[in-house]
Amino acid sequence: MPAPVGYQTGGPSCFDKIKIGFLLGFCVGMATGGIFGGFGALRAGLRGRELVNNMGKTMMSTGGTFGTFMAIGSGIRC
């Protein structure tokens, strides 16, 4: 029996694996940055807008860093 048209027999491509690795690492890094950045900002006595700005910067930088490392790790495994 022939395969249906448009049916993909292989798994995700290497680029897809790298992209998924980056997104997964970015989400984990954002969560980690939110926890540690929030506690750090609260310990420093930040409140209101300063707290939100500091947490946002921490979450984005932590997410980007961890996502980059996860993407590199996924690329190595391809």
Side-chain angles (χ1 to χ4, degrees), residues 1 6 11 20 22 26 32 39 41 45 51-52 57 61 63 68 71 75-77:
M1 181 171 162
I20 291 169
F22 178 80
F26 189 79
T32 305
F39 285 134
L51 175 70
V52 172
K57 289 177 188 176
S61 65
T68 301
I76 290 172
R77 292 190 67 195

Side-chain angles (χ1 to χ4, degrees), residues 5-63:
V5 176
Y7 183 73
Q8 188 176 12
T9 57
S13 68
C14 189
F15 180 72
D16 289 336
K17 290 179 183 179
I18 292 171
K19 186 171 52 174
I20 291 169
F22 178 80
L23 291 174
L24 180 67
F26 189 79
C27 290
V28 170
M30 288 275 286
T32 305
I35 292 169
F36 290 121
F39 285 134
L42 289 173
R43 278 186 72 188
L46 300 179
R47 298 289 186 263
R49 183 177 294 242
E50 293 174 335
L51 175 70
V52 172
N53 286 339
N54 191 5
M55 278 186 61
K57 289 177 188 176
T58 304
M59 290 172 71
M60 291 299 288
S61 65
T62 307

